């Protein structure tokens, strides 16, 4: 833990890549763990844009469940720890694969939503945008033109939002340290980001409950719950900063 804290303090441009694992302690299941979403909903029938277009009512059952969980979810100590790291000037940005908005709620200002966000929805017919607050998400929502509303989240088979992709690539190329937190690193291009940092001579710190597909590349691996590890890491960073100040 001390070595990791030292890496963060001496880094010039540290960013974080987060996945569903950082939100499980907020009550939102991840995707690939045993009680993950893809173990309850077949990814081929619910995870693709085509799945939604072919049978929106069916896919909406999963989306409504997610929306309800997001409604009830609050940031957990892992989210707050990253907000504190940003306040300390040690974390330049969070690139998240999550669509739950919990990083912003915890106070992080620079958050790149790599897989979009559930906060807004778009009409597939006329393109009109809605915020999730102004409609009921219980049943498949429709536009005033009667078109189907799709949440602005990235389904498989959809491109990463251009602005988010460009910003994330620019941040990764500027980073000498990336914290990879709560992600299996199974999905590209998100999983490319730590590889870019490493290729540029930077370091990877992985904080995950178990090994991920990029663990072999990690310079440091802190295995365990993000909600327990990150607050301890921030305490260690603050302790070392005080020592350095003397
Ligand atoms: N603390 C640390 N790690 C955790 C915790 C926790 N409390 N809970 C779960 N994890 C770990 C799991 O062990 C797993 O390695 O987080 C990882 C979550 O991996 P996935 O379920 O694959 O989620 P993620 O990596 O975010 O998936 C990427 O896939 O389906 C798409 O668009 C979806 O953004 C998602 C993408």
């Amino acid at each position: 833990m001390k070595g990791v804290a030292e890496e963060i303090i001496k880094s010039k441009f540290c960013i974080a890549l987060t996945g569903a694992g950082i939100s499980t302690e907020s009550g939102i299941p991840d995707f690939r763990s045993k009680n993950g979403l893809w173990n309850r909903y077949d990814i081929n029938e619910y995870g693709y844009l085509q799945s939604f277009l072919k049978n929106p009512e069916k896919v909406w059952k999963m989306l409504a469940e997610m929306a309800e969980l997001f409604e009830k979810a609050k940031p957990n100590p892992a989210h707050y720890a990253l907000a504190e790291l940003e306040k300390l000037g040690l974390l330049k940005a969070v690139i998240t694969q999550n669509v739950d908005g919990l990083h912003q709620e915890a106070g992080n200002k620079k958050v790149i939503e790599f897989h979009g966000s559930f906060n807004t929805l778009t009409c597939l017919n006329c393109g009109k945008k809605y915020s999730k607050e102004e409609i009921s998400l219980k049943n498949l929502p429709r536009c005033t033109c009667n078109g189907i509303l799709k949440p602005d989240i990235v389904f498989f088979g959809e491109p990463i939002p251009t602005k988010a992709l460009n910003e994330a690539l620019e941040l990764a190329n500027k980073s000498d340290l990336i914290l990879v937190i709560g992600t299996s690193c199974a999905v590209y291009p998100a999983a490319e980001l730590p590889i870019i940092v490493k290729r540029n001579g930077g370091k990877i710190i992985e904080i995950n409950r178990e090994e991920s597909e990029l663990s072999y590349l990690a310079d440091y691996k802190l295995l365990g719950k993000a909600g327990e590890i990150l607050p301890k890491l921030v305490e260690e960073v603050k302790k070392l900063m005080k020592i350095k100040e003397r």
Side-chain angles (χ1 to χ4, degrees), residues 18-25 30-33 36 38 43 97-98 115 154 156 181-187 207-212 224-227:
T18 65
I22 201 169
S23 295
T24 54
E25 292 164 80
D30 63 13
F31 293 91
R32 295 172 181 83
S33 293
W38 298 141
I43 190 169
Q97 300 171 85
N98 303 339
H115 288 161
V154 178
F156 287 106
I181 306 165
T183 176
S184 59
C185 299
V187 173
I207 297 164
N208 211 54
R209 203 169 52 188
E210 60 195 316
E211 296 267 315
S212 77
K225 294 170 101 176

Side-chain angles (χ1 to χ4, degrees), residues 21 74 76 123 131 180 191 197 206:
K74 290 276 158 267
N76 68 61
C123 174
S131 87
V180 180
V197 174
E206 181 168 54

Side-chain angles (χ1 to χ4, degrees), residues 9 235-246:
I9 291 173
E235 283 320 304
E236 191 61 38
V237 163
K238 292 191 325 191
K239 213 165 66 186
L240 288 174
M241 285 173 88
K242 274 209 186 62
I243 297 168
K244 283 190 183 307
E245 271 160 19
R246 275 186 224 132

